[in-house]
Structure formats: structure tokens, C-alpha cells
Amino acid sequence: MRALRFLPVVLLVLVGPAGAQPLALTNVTVVDVAAGTERAGMTVLVDGGDIVAVGPAGRVAVPASAVRYDGAGGYVIPGLWDAHVHALWDAAVADAFLPRFVAYGVTGIRDMGGTLEVLHDVRRRRAAGALVAPRILAAGLVLDGPEPVDPSISVAVGSPAEARRAVDSLAAAGADVVKVYTLLPAAAFEAVVERARVHGLPVVGHVPAEVAPAEAARAGMRTVEHMRAELGGYCSRADPAPCAALFATFRRHATWQTPTLVVRHHARAYTDDPDAASDPELGQLPAVVRAYWRSDQAAKLDGRTTADWARLRAEHDDERWLAGRLHAAGVPVLAGTDAGVTFVYPGRSLHEELAMLVEVGLTPAEALRAATLGPAEAFGLAASVGTVEPGKRADLVVLAASPLADIRNTRRIRAVVAGGALLDRARLDALLAAAPD
């Protein structure tokens, strides 16, 4: 990952929970993501950053002091989660990316490789109202082998003793999860899982090359990221017979899978897209990010033949097939994007991933759960987020049309409520228009 210079903090005046007025979303249809149903003519009352009432307009007493937001028949869903992002490896990247997540309705993210120092600074400024940012779970540095794939965000681990020390260090520094990576030796992986269990930290990430995915699931790995590299050697379109046993192991051990189809599309199979480098939204990202993405694209274009691109696209088609098979077999799926990787935009890419999940076989309701209730359950947060009901944190998105009718409607955002703070369309547009340079 490349270092960026410090960018200005985004400041907004919000209707929020810190001693502020209650907020009433009126004339809305509430989407029940658990049941896959909708309730029209509802009022959602928020106070102190939490949902305090949800019901028909005539049955919810709205205080005279409340700020009223007329939903005009819009649809309210829980705030979305992106279960796999990279936004914390540099403070400047965090300042540029985090507001954009919220502007796209992503009120929760799981950062899968960065620094915990940036995490703590972001959380402090978010709590003080100085930075618009989603709720964040973070891995901190990744545990990889003695010669890590990406040394800038990794700890080199070659033995069980080093693995235990690394987990202890992450736990002491405040990591929410422990992420393992491709080159971690098998013995070190076993030590990571055992030590993480002592600290109560879930183990997530890539399945190390020396470990079979079924072994990782049996060991207690909570989530497996990506598709072909992790699972393709054990369950493939060319040889689907072993799939059933692998999927059964995942189900039995409650192992979640994050397909991240969108990153394989943009950063691998279709990196030769001639329009990618002229995307209008690219201009809203820092100059160094723009330069990095364009240079990565140029490097991938250099020397690749028509046959190479055909192979990459065939592999991506195989991954889409595998994601559909996983879901059909009952393996729980999370929506994640790898945002931060080339041409995978913070916030926007989550909506692309949802559409891809529907294309491979999920219903719109199932795809929506993969970005709301699913992450809440997988991350142990179902008591506080993931559904629109009293007692939950007021992380909400108001849409212009039903996402159950068409998952692409998650992009039609009228307003976002983040931790009880209302951001209407004008404020969301201001976040997206903020110049980082």
C-alpha cells in the first residue's frame, strides 16, 4: 500500500444523538430484512442514537421537539455493511474513504488490513463529531508468512511461537479480529487459532496455502475471504464432486464466506476496461490513489495477450459459479468488496457486489441480508444492528424504491441515518463532492 499525504477532515453539522432532538422518519415503508417483507405507512422514531419506536403512523407518539423527515413513501433498510475493505492503512486514505462509505449508505465496515493507530484516531474523531465515518471493525496488521505478500500491512510469522506473540500484540492493541493470510505456515495457523480463542477474537481472512479450507473451518475460522484462490482447488466447476463435502463442513462449523466478486471483476478479469481510468468518480479520490490505480492498470495491461484476458475472465466466471453453488448449498454469505484495491470504490462497490450476488442466484432479500443482518450475526453484533426495530442502533438508509423488487434500488438513496445523525441528500452529495487534494 502506498502512503498518501494528509487530507482535510470532512466536517458536517448533523442532526445527531449528543443531546440533540429526537428524529422521526415518517411516511416510510420499513423493510424487514429477516423475513424479506415490507410494512408501509410506518414511522421510525430515533432518540439518543437508537431506534426507540417503529410502527404505524397513528401509533407512534412523536415528540413535539422531534425533527421530522418525511420519507415520502420511501423504503427504510438497516445501514449496509461492507465486510471486506482496506481503508485504515494510512490516515489520509481513511479521511478520503470513510465519508464516502457513509454517503453510499454503508454505515459499517470490516477493515481487513491496516494499522490500529489509524483506527483509534478515526474512532476518536468520529466520536467527537469531527469525521463522518461508519462503524468499524478492524484486523490491524495481517498475519502472513516469513516473506509476506504485502509487508506494508503484515506481520511476518514463521513459527507457532511468533504466531502466539503476534496474536497477543494484536489483542493488546485493540484488534477486533485476527486476519490470516496466504503464506502463513500451517503450524503457525494452528497456533493463531488457539491463541485467538484465548483472547476471544475470531480468525478471518485467506485460507493459508498449507491448510485445506475444510481444515480451516474445523479449526474454527469464522470467515473465509474470496473465492477461486481459497476454494477453487477443492471445489471447481471442472470437478464439482468434492463441493458437497466442503460446503457441509462450512455449514457444520458456521463458517461464513465473503465472495468479493466485484474486486475480481475490476482488478483482475476486466482491468483492461478502457473507461475505468476515466470514471468521473475517480476524480473525487486523492491524486495519489488515482495514480496508483492507473499505474496498476497499466502494469496489468503490459504484456497480457488476448488469451490471457480470456483466461482471467473464464476464471472469474468460475468464481461466480462457485458463489452461486455456495449459496445454494446453504453456506452463509457476506457482502464484501475489497474496497481500496484498483477501481473498487469505497461505498459504491458494495452496491455492485449486491447486484452480482443476485446475478449468481441470491434473491434481492438474500443479498440484502448479506449486507445487513448477515454481518451483524457473523460479527456478534445482532443485538445492536442489522434490523430496523426498537433497541437497535439508528444506522438506517432511506431509499426511493424497494430493494426487494430490485436490488439495484439500494443505490437510490434519499437519506442516511448514521448513529442517529441524519444526512439528507444534499449532505450526502456534499460528502461525495468533497475535494481531497
Side-chain angles (χ1 to χ4, degrees):
M1 296 282 185
R2 300 186 179 187
L4 307 183
R5 70 179 185 277
F6 183 75
L7 306 178
V9 173
V10 179
L11 292 168
L12 287 180
V13 178
L14 306 174
V15 175
Q21 298 162 280
L23 168 66
L25 306 178
T26 62
N27 188 24
V28 295
T29 295
V30 173
V31 178
D32 184 336
V33 295
T37 58
E38 300 170 344
R39 293 174 291 163
M42 305 292 281
T43 293
V44 179
L45 183 62
V46 173
D47 196 7
D50 296 324
I51 302 169
V52 295
V54 179
R59 298 183 184 177
V60 175
V62 178
S65 61
V67 172
R68 290 175 177 261
Y69 178 86
D70 183 359
Y75 293 75
V76 175
I77 63 172
L80 299 167
W81 278 80
D82 189 329
H84 192 127
V85 312
H86 292 278
L88 300 180
W89 50 272
D90 184 280
V93 174
D95 282 353
F97 280 17
L98 296 179
R100 301 189 73 82
F101 281 115
V102 177
Y104 278 103
V106 179
T107 60
I109 61 174
R110 184 177 59 160
D111 192 272
M112 296 290 276
T115 73
L116 294 174
E117 292 81 4
V118 173
L119 170 70
H120 298 319
D121 178 65
V122 163
R123 283 178 172 168
R124 176 185 59 78
R125 289 186 289 137
R126 178 179 183 267
L131 178 67
V132 176
R135 176 191 291 230
I136 303 172
L137 299 179
L141 297 179
V142 175
L143 304 188
D144 204 358
E147 297 183 4
V149 174
D150 185 351
S152 70
I153 58 169
S154 302
V155 177
V157 175
S159 69
E162 291 175 344
R164 287 187 285 270
R165 286 195 295 270
V167 173
D168 289 345
S169 178
L170 287 171
D176 300 298
V177 298
V178 176
K179 182 181 177 182
V180 295
Y181 212 69
T182 308
L183 301 181
L184 187 69
F189 170 76
E190 294 174 4
V192 166
V193 173
E194 292 172 0
R195 197 64 180 173
R197 189 175 293 117
V198 171
H199 291 287
L201 295 175
V203 176
V204 303
H206 294 208
V207 177
E210 294 184 4
V211 180
E215 294 171 352
R218 285 191 287 268
M221 197 167 175
R222 178 72 58 81
T223 72
V224 170
E225 311 303 301
H226 314 307
M227 298 294 304
R228 191 173 186 276
E230 316 309 309
L231 308 180
Y234 301 87
C235 169
S236 69
R237 204 171 190 170
D239 182 19
C243 293
L246 176 60
F247 296 161
T249 300
F250 272 46
R251 291 195 309 270
R252 188 177 308 115
H253 295 277
T255 304
W256 295 72
Q257 214 284 330
T258 315
T260 62
L261 297 173
V262 67
V263 70
R264 302 287 285 185
H265 179 100
H266 290 307
R268 185 172 173 85
Y270 293 90
T271 319
D272 62 337
D273 181 353
D275 296 326
S278 59
D279 189 307
E281 192 163 341
L282 188 59
Q284 298 302 319
L285 299 182
V288 179
V289 172
R290 297 195 300 269
Y292 170 68
W293 285 6
R294 285 171 175 155
S295 67
D296 185 54
Q297 181 189 44
K300 290 173 178 175
L301 289 173
D302 185 25
R304 283 188 180 168
T305 66
T306 301
D308 292 331
W309 289 112
R311 174 181 55 80
L312 291 171
R313 286 167 185 165
E315 290 175 354
H316 184 51
D317 287 344
D318 287 347
E319 290 180 321
R320 291 165 59 87
W321 171 88
L322 181 53
R325 288 292 295 267
L326 274 164
H327 167 69
V331 176
V333 170
L334 298 175
T337 66
D338 230 342
V341 176
T342 302
F343 300 137
V344 184
Y345 289 83
R348 188 179 95 181
S349 60
L350 190 277
H351 299 278
E352 296 179 70
E353 182 75 12
L354 293 179
M356 289 183 180
L357 290 175
V358 170
E359 288 171 1
V360 302
L362 279 70
T363 66
E366 290 167 338
L368 190 60
R369 277 197 290 275
T372 53
L373 183 57
E377 293 174 343
F379 306 156
L381 299 174
S384 60
V385 297
T387 56
V388 183
E389 58 183 323
K392 297 295 180 72
R393 190 69 176 157
D395 291 339
L396 305 165
V397 184
V398 183
L399 304 174
S402 169
L404 302 187
D406 187 339
I407 195 61
R408 292 172 295 183
N409 287 333
T410 60
R411 309 175 195 211
R412 300 178 62 185
I413 298 172
R414 288 181 176 172
V416 173
V417 180
L422 174 67
L423 295 91
D424 61 15
R425 188 63 256 174
R427 286 170 172 165
L428 298 176
D429 289 341
L431 286 176
L432 292 173
D437 298 318

